[in-house]
Amino acid sequence: RVGDVLRVVNGKKGFRAMSTQWDTSLEVLAYFKKNDGAVQPTEDLWRPPVARQFEVFLERRQAEKWGLFWVTERSQANGERVVDAVIGGAAQRWNTTQSSGLTMIRKGDHLVSVNGHTQVGKMKKELARLQVLLVFARP
């Protein structure tokens, strides 16, 4: 409502941290300071429209990195992999070959599976290979 002030998003305070949560989360729990001064959560978790999924096939050389950097606090907290940056490696090569931005790997994309595996431990093992089929979701 008009006059409400956003205070916390997914446990994060401060403009930058809240913006990152808002832009990269599949679910958002926000707390607002109401006009009467009370701080209250949103009535329900906010969920962005259904994420669009897309596949990426990457191949790298023996000592080459994938070139994917993850949002650190998300990766450490629950294993969720959200792209923070694409710099160099096989991922950047992939991006330069895509004529449409729809299949380019971008900041905020969520890694859903690696070679068909969705469990964090198995995805990590698969990322040690030289070829991977990645599925990303873009909120």
Side-chain angles (χ1 to χ4, degrees):
R1 292 186 191 133
V2 174
D4 289 354
V5 178
L6 183 61
R7 296 302 230 189
V8 180
V9 175
N10 290 349
K12 302 292 183 187
K13 296 180 180 180
F15 178 77
R16 177 170 276 180
M18 289 190 307
S19 294
T20 298
Q21 289 298 308
W22 196 270
D23 291 343
T24 62
S25 296
L26 292 177
E27 295 183 336
V28 172
L29 178 59
Y31 287 82
F32 291 88
K33 184 174 182 184
K34 301 290 188 179
N35 285 328
D36 63 6
V39 176
Q40 300 174 336
T42 51
E43 292 180 14
D44 292 308
L45 285 176
W46 175 80
R47 291 177 177 88
V50 175
R52 186 184 70 76
Q53 291 190 353
F54 61 99
E55 292 182 344
V56 172
F57 177 74
L58 298 181
E59 189 170 10
R60 65 186 173 115
R61 294 180 276 287
Q62 188 64 37
E64 185 181 27
K65 303 284 185 189
W66 290 118
L68 294 169
F69 294 83
W70 309 104
V71 176
T72 306
E73 66 270 9
R74 305 285 291 280
S75 298
Q76 291 174 346
N78 61 5
E80 182 181 11
R81 297 281 190 218
V82 177
V83 176
D84 190 36
V86 177
I87 303 171
Q92 187 168 349
R93 262 197 324 280
W94 167 270
N95 279 354
T96 60
T97 65
Q98 302 307 299
S99 58
S100 164
L102 297 175
T103 54
M104 291 177 71
I105 306 167
R106 299 190 307 212
K107 181 176 182 163
D109 288 345
H110 293 249
L111 182 61
V112 174
S113 69
V114 180
N115 294 336
H117 296 281
T118 57
Q119 293 178 321
V120 175
K122 289 183 180 181
M123 288 195 303
K124 191 173 182 179
K125 269 187 180 176
E126 291 298 310
L127 285 168
R129 297 178 179 268
L130 297 177
Q131 295 179 340
V132 292
L133 177 64
L134 308 175
V135 176
F136 287 98
R138 181 168 296 149

